[in-house]
Amino acid sequence: MMKIRIIVFLLALSVVSCTSSKSIVRTSGKHKEVQKKQPVVQTNKTNTNSKTPSIVSLEATSNVKTYAEEIQLYIENFKEIAKNNMKSHGIPASITLAQGILESGAGKGKLAQSANNHFGIKCHTGWQGDSVRHDDDAEQECFRKYEHPAESYRDHSLFLTSRPRYSNLFKLDRGDYESWAKGLKAAGYATDVKYPDKLIGLIERFELYKYDNEVLSRNFMPTKKEVVLAQGSDYYTIQQGDTLYSLSKRFNLTVEDLKKLNNMSDNAISIGQQIKIK
């Protein structure tokens, strides 16, 4: 009898031991199958190929800020159209591309987005095509609307070739983009006094003169301009490769000092722009 009791006791002890080895998971509501989660390992990933984009401020009929990479993509999309128009109408491809970039904000401006109008061309008398309304010099002015940006490029060429006030442009060397930029301003294409400098800055920064070279079968390279200090050395003219940080080191200022001196809200600068350094 004692042996039987010992055997029963040992069997009961074995059952209790097995039961207690199982983990108990409590869930609210219905029973759910619970899986153990793998531990999460957090790592600080660094993209060694990433570069800080270069911001370019474009102010004309379209007041936008865009990246140099976006401008380069815009150039790739429209360089052949600009070259073909140069062959057909005599307007330097570099000038057409620079105006397209500046006027449309590299395709990001409102008119470019809503009307495929990359040059801010207004309806004017005799326009029979579609149009959109947009605030410019006055409220809700009439601007031309196109089915495709290529039509805007063609109309830009026709606009310049068909109006007498631009006739002097076509007496200029087709490879002389600086004279064309200044001639556009003199003929009244834009009221901005810095318009020629902005066009020239874009042409030289993004090497748009290369497309003139391809049409003219030449190998022109602009001469590197010397650092320009003007107005009693109180102002500096932005050159290719300049940044506010590099200028702050050159002139022993902080970036914030330069921004305050020039009433700048961000770090965007453009070639040919003059900034105050004292």
Side-chain angles (χ1 to χ4, degrees):
M1 190 66 177
M2 180 60 70
K3 289 182 178 180
I4 293 174
R5 288 180 179 176
I6 291 172
I7 291 171
V8 171
F9 174 79
L10 291 174
L11 287 173
L13 183 63
S14 175
V15 171
V16 170
S17 175
C18 291
T19 303
S20 63
S21 66
K22 295 180 181 179
S23 59
I24 299 174
V25 179
R26 290 185 174 86
T27 60
S28 59
K30 296 181 179 179
H31 293 290
K32 297 180 181 179
E33 183 179 355
V34 179
Q35 297 179 344
K36 292 184 179 180
K37 293 184 179 180
Q38 295 297 323
V40 178
V41 179
Q42 294 182 342
T43 59
N44 294 323
K45 296 183 179 179
T46 303
N47 186 355
T48 57
N49 295 324
S50 64
K51 295 181 179 179
T52 302
S54 174
I55 298 176
V56 181
S57 179
L58 300 173
E59 297 179 2
T61 54
S62 178
N63 186 2
V64 302
K65 288 182 176 61
T66 186
Y67 294 105
E69 291 79 2
E70 293 173 318
I71 293 176
Q72 196 61 60
L73 179 60
Y74 181 91
I75 293 166
E76 289 299 313
N77 287 337
F78 295 104
K79 65 183 183 182
E80 294 302 324
I81 295 174
K83 286 163 58 180
N84 288 335
N85 283 356
M86 181 177 180
K87 295 173 185 176
S88 301
H89 303 285
I91 303 164
S94 59
I95 286 290
T96 302
L97 285 168
Q99 284 193 280
I101 293 166
L102 189 61
E103 299 288 344
S104 75
K108 294 170 66 177
K110 184 176 180 181
L111 277 175
Q113 293 286 318
S114 65
N116 287 318
N117 189 333
H118 285 230
F119 297 91
I121 299 179
K122 297 178 182 178
C123 293
H124 299 289
T125 304
W127 175 248
Q128 300 296 322
D130 293 336
S131 64
V132 295
R133 295 285 173 175
H134 178 69
D135 291 346
D136 191 52
D137 296 326
E139 291 184 0
Q140 294 299 289
E141 289 191 88
C142 183
F143 286 84
R144 300 182 183 188
K145 181 178 181 179
Y146 306 96
E147 288 294 323
H148 190 275
E151 296 177 19
S152 175
Y153 269 72
R154 178 176 177 273
D155 203 26
H156 169 262
S157 295
L158 295 176
F159 184 83
L160 293 181
T161 56
S162 64
R163 282 165 169 72
R165 66 174 174 166
Y166 298 116
S167 60
N168 284 335
L169 290 172
F170 297 90
K171 299 175 184 178
L172 300 171
D173 180 350
R174 288 189 300 165
D176 187 356
Y177 59 81
E178 290 196 35
S179 293
W180 273 80
K182 294 171 183 176
L184 282 166
K185 171 65 177 65
Y189 191 95
T191 57
D192 183 0
V193 294
K194 294 183 179 179
Y195 194 75
D197 292 334
K198 291 178 180 180
L199 293 181
I200 293 168
L202 285 169
I203 290 169
E204 295 183 350
R205 176 172 182 175
F206 294 97
E207 300 182 341
L208 304 182
Y209 52 82
K210 293 190 302 185
Y211 306 116
D212 298 341
N213 288 349
E214 291 174 15
V215 174
L216 299 173
S217 300
R218 65 175 190 175
N219 192 28
F220 167 80
M221 288 286 291
T223 56
K224 188 173 182 180
K225 296 179 177 64
E226 295 181 359
V227 172
V228 179
L229 291 174
Q231 299 183 27
S233 299
D234 287 347
Y235 286 79
Y236 170 78
T237 301
I238 301 299
Q239 306 295 302
Q240 185 169 352
D242 284 338
T243 64
L244 282 188
Y245 178 75
S246 67
L247 295 178
S248 71
K249 296 300 181 184
R250 179 182 299 179
F251 298 114
N252 197 28
L253 297 166
T254 67
V255 171
E256 289 304 316
D257 287 338
L258 285 172
K259 290 169 69 174
K260 288 178 182 178
L261 280 169
N262 294 278
N263 295 319
M264 299 169 66
S265 59
D266 54 42
N267 293 1
I269 54 177
S270 58
I271 296 173
Q273 175 185 352
Q274 284 199 339
I275 63 169
K276 197 171 184 180
I277 58 172
K278 290 184 178 179

